[in-house]
Amino acid sequence: MVRLQEEEAMAPRGCGLVVGNYCHDVILRDGCVVGESLGGAASFVSNVLDGLSLPCSYVAKVGIDFAYSVTHPPRAFCSAAPTTVFHAHFDGDAERVLRCVKTCDPIFPSDLPDEQFDFGLAVGVAGEILPETLARMLDLCRLVFVDAQALIRTFDPLDGTVRLIPLKDSGFQHLLPRIGFLKVSAEEAPFVDVQETRKCCCVVITDGEDGCRVYCKDEELRVPPFPTVQIDPTGAGDSFLGGFVTGLVRRLSVPDAALLGNFFGSLTVGQIGIPRFSPKMFQRVKDRLERKTLDSRRGAAGTVFQNSEEFEEFRIYLSEATKLDSTTDQEIADGHHLDGENFSTVETGVNQDNQSHRQPSKLLVTAVYEAS
């Protein structure tokens, strides 16, 4: 059994700060555009945080060409730089190739609000979070969660293909002791030196169908996945982070919070682009989080181990909640769900006066991954 130290002391509460630019995502299969949507880690994260009613302030930059309506408007429109654009290429059975073809301006320390937050999420996708910006976040937030892609991504100067560099060469290494949790994908893990990094902060590795692993000082745990059929992997790690952070904010233990992260990650890969989650599912999850929060305040929960009866009961509960994740347009309208129209009819376009107009987005009608 695994016990993580100082869980209660590290558990954040209250309002958070989310930093990372919105993007335009274009999905191509065998060289042909098959879908376009709102992108950026902040979009996927907010989709979960909003659904679970976790209040946060958002800092994002886009160009005046920004093409989507969002619940949390960008903090700044850049007249000289376009909105960041990613092309995700799926060719045959090859792994996804991700290219950044346009880049918006970075987020500077001065762009952050001058106030204190209980927790923060650094979720950059195109190098927009600078070392000095992360340092400022660490000053403003009691506990900071960082997505490793914000630190170790680099881009081919010719075609924008996303590459990874060692964390020690990124310019962020010196900030690790001040970070609470570093979220890393299995692909990114070799560039992070997990065994060294865990000495400075907790490392959470997401590994798709294998669930996730958490490394914290001398302790570690493995949290099982939820079965799913993968259609589009985009944003799964971001949704995981939204669930994981919410779990800790709601006073879950690290294992239970990681389980909640796995839950939302699994639901995300089953849809294309930003997922449309059922309000009924969200309500069911919130009901359970409220009960678990009350139990923890009464001292009934304590530290939950991965193989405890309570952990297994929570896993079964979430498995049952997946059956509620079938949304209708009316349910989304009734629930005022974030970006519910992004894959049907979306409010798009921002002109010089920041006025939106409507135009249909391109809808993916076939799975990115076809069944073999």
Side-chain angles (χ1 to χ4, degrees):
M1 292 191 297
V2 179
R3 183 180 190 276
L4 295 180
Q5 302 294 329
E6 301 173 345
E7 283 180 347
E8 178 64 22
M10 297 183 69
R13 303 175 183 81
C15 187
L17 174 66
V18 179
V19 179
N21 286 349
Y22 296 129
C23 306
H24 293 167
D25 281 353
V26 180
I27 301 177
L28 302 96
R29 186 172 183 84
D30 298 324
C32 298
V33 174
V34 294
E36 298 178 348
S37 74
L38 173 68
S43 301
F44 286 89
V45 166
S46 67
N47 193 38
V48 176
L49 300 185
D50 286 350
L52 296 177
S53 303
L54 193 66
C56 289
S57 296
Y58 290 77
V59 177
K61 284 186 178 179
V62 298
I64 58 173
D65 61 336
F66 185 52
Y68 296 96
S69 174
V70 292
T71 300
H72 306 282
R75 192 170 180 86
F77 288 91
C78 303
S79 59
T83 300
T84 298
V85 176
F86 278 94
H87 285 184
H89 295 261
F90 297 89
D91 298 318
D93 295 328
E95 293 290 327
R96 179 186 67 166
V97 175
L98 193 62
R99 296 191 175 103
C100 184
V101 298
K102 293 182 181 179
T103 308
C104 196
D105 287 348
I107 298 171
F108 298 104
S110 58
D111 294 318
L112 304 183
D114 189 17
E115 54 188 283
Q116 296 296 308
F117 297 88
D118 289 313
F119 61 96
L121 288 81
V123 289
V125 291
E128 67 267 29
I129 297 180
L130 308 173
E132 54 266 36
T133 304
L134 180 56
R136 180 58 178 161
M137 285 189 67
L138 293 164
D139 291 338
L140 297 175
C141 306
R142 189 166 68 90
L143 179 64
V144 174
F145 301 80
V146 179
D147 193 330
Q149 68 181 8
L151 314 183
I152 64 174
R153 275 187 173 180
T154 187
F155 307 93
D156 186 284
L158 296 179
D159 65 2
T161 299
V162 175
R163 311 289 187 195
L164 302 176
I165 61 172
L167 180 57
K168 63 182 178 61
D169 299 329
S170 67
F172 291 91
Q173 181 83 10
H174 66 290
L175 297 174
L176 289 180
R178 301 178 61 194
I179 292 172
F181 290 86
L182 180 69
K183 197 278 290 181
V184 183
S185 69
E187 178 187 13
E188 295 162 344
F191 296 86
V192 170
D193 192 349
V194 174
Q195 296 308 318
E196 283 299 315
T197 302
R198 67 189 292 188
K199 298 176 183 178
C200 302
C201 64
C202 290
V203 180
V204 183
I205 301 179
T206 56
D207 198 7
E209 62 183 14
D210 291 326
C212 71
R213 289 161 283 157
V214 182
Y215 299 87
C216 191
K217 296 182 180 178
D218 296 327
E219 300 176 293
E220 63 185 70
L221 63 90
R222 184 182 298 270
V223 180
F226 290 86
T228 188
V229 176
Q230 179 169 281
I231 296 176
D232 180 7
T234 305
D238 307 319
S239 294
F240 168 91
L241 190 56
F244 180 67
V245 171
T246 300
L248 291 183
V249 170
R250 300 305 186 207
R251 300 173 66 91
L252 299 190
S253 69
V254 171
D256 279 2
L259 191 66
L260 187 62
N262 283 350
F263 171 75
F264 280 105
S266 70
L267 295 180
T268 298
V269 302
Q271 301 187 42
I272 297 167
I274 297 175
R276 300 170 64 171
F277 295 138
S278 164
K280 291 181 180 177
M281 180 276 290
F282 270 130
Q283 188 58 53
R284 182 175 174 86
V285 173
K286 286 195 292 185
D287 288 346
R288 178 48 59 99
L289 291 180
E290 289 174 4
R291 290 200 295 272
K292 291 179 76 68
T293 298
L294 288 174
D295 287 343
S296 69
R297 287 174 178 169
R298 292 168 182 157
T303 299
V304 179
F305 301 110
Q306 180 180 348
N307 58 352
S308 70
E309 291 183 4
E310 186 172 343
F311 178 90
E312 180 61 16
E313 186 272 339
F314 189 42
R315 186 193 65 78
I316 294 172
Y317 185 92
L318 292 176
S319 294
E320 291 294 320
T322 62
K323 299 175 183 178
L324 296 175
D325 191 46
S326 56
T327 34
T328 66
D329 289 338
Q330 186 59 49
E331 282 180 324
I332 292 172
D334 292 343
H336 305 289
H337 188 63
L338 172 65
D339 294 322
E341 298 180 326
N342 277 342
F343 272 99
S344 52
T345 302
V346 295
E347 294 185 8
T348 65
V350 180
N351 62 21
Q352 296 287 349
D353 297 321
N354 289 349
Q355 298 296 315
S356 297
H357 62 278
R358 297 178 67 86
Q359 71 180 44
S361 65
K362 294 184 179 178
L363 175 65
L364 279 170
V365 294
T366 58
V368 174
Y369 289 114
E370 297 176 349
S372 57

